[in-house]
Amino acid sequence: MKKNIILLKVYLMAGTFTFSGGMAMLTLIENELSEKRDLISKEDLHEYTTLSQVFPGVIALTNACFVGRKVNGWSGMFFAGFGAILPAYLLMSLATFFYQFIPANGPMFQVLVAVRATSASFLFITCYSLTQFNIHNKRSLMLALLAFTLTFFQIISAPFLIILGVAGGIISKLSKERKNK
C-alpha cells in the first residue's frame, strides 16, 4: 500500500505542477521515483515514456499506467492513473468556470503567458532526457532526424511513420535473432 500512496502522490504532484502534459512530467517523475525512491530504473521509466507516446490516448495516463503496473502491479496502475488524471480534471473544471472572468490583459493574462513559457522549458528538458535514452549511435540519430524532417515538412503523416517504425523495429529484432542463432 505504501508504494501505491507514493505513486498517487508523485502523479498528483506531477499533474498539478507540470502544465504541458505527459512529456513535461517526466523530469519530476524521474526525480521522485527513480532517483529519490529507487522504485523504477531510469531505463524502464524512459522506455515506458517512449511507449506512452506511441499508444493512443493521453500520454500522462498511459505513462502512469505503465509505471504503476511495473512498480506495484494492478493496484499501482490504478493509483498512478488516478493521480495522473485527477489534477487535470479538477484544474480544467476550475479553468472552464473562471475563464470567463479573466481579462484579455493584466496580471492574470501574464501568469498564463508565464505558464506557457515554463511548459516549453519542461518539454525541452524532457526531449533532451529522452534523446539521451533513445539515441545510441549515428544510425539512431539519422533515423530520428529523418522522422522529424518527414513529419515537420508533412511528407509522411506521424501515424504512418509510427507504423513504419514498429515494422522496422520488428524486422531489425528478428534479423538480429537470426544472426545470433
Side-chain angles (χ1 to χ4, degrees):
M1 190 62 174
K2 183 179 180 185
K3 288 181 182 178
N4 289 339
I5 300 301
I6 291 170
L7 287 166
L8 178 69
K9 284 172 40 177
V10 167
Y11 277 95
L12 272 170
M13 188 169 54
T16 303
F17 298 110
T18 54
F19 297 103
S20 291
M23 291 296 294
M25 292 178 170
L26 180 63
T27 306
L28 184 114
I29 294 167
E30 180 180 328
N31 185 36
E32 291 292 323
L33 295 181
S34 294
E35 294 172 8
K36 285 185 179 177
R37 294 184 171 88
D38 198 32
L39 290 176
I40 188 169
S41 69
K42 284 185 181 182
E43 291 78 21
D44 284 345
L45 179 63
H46 287 215
E47 184 175 334
Y48 291 142
T49 302
T50 303
L51 284 172
S52 298
Q53 297 174 50
V54 177
F55 279 80
V58 179
I59 293 172
L61 178 59
T62 307
N63 176 275
C65 289
F66 280 142
V67 171
R69 179 99 158 63
K70 175 73 174 181
V71 170
N72 204 32
W74 290 101
S75 64
M77 184 174 89
F78 174 78
F79 277 85
F82 186 72
I85 61 172
L86 186 61
Y89 175 76
L90 293 174
L91 291 172
M92 289 307 294
S93 296
L94 287 171
T96 302
F97 178 75
F98 287 114
Y99 187 74
Q100 61 190 338
F101 303 113
I102 298 174
N105 53 22
M108 280 307 293
F109 183 76
Q110 296 305 317
V111 167
L112 294 175
V113 171
V115 166
R116 191 178 325 152
T118 305
S119 299
S121 68
F122 280 129
L123 290 173
F124 179 76
I125 291 168
T126 300
C127 181
Y128 178 74
S129 179
L130 285 176
T131 300
Q132 287 181 316
F133 174 74
N134 289 307
I135 307 293
H136 303 290
N137 51 36
K138 288 182 182 179
R139 181 175 170 252
S140 300
L141 177 62
M142 294 308 292
L143 284 171
L145 291 174
L146 177 65
F148 174 78
T149 303
L150 291 173
T151 54
F152 184 78
F153 292 109
Q154 298 178 351
I155 297 169
I156 297 178
S157 69
F160 188 69
L161 264 178
I162 291 169
I163 292 168
L164 284 176
V166 169
I170 291 170
I171 291 168
S172 175
K173 181 77 171 172
L174 291 174
S175 68
K176 284 181 184 178
E177 287 178 0
R178 286 186 183 165
K179 285 181 184 179
N180 290 338
K181 285 184 180 182

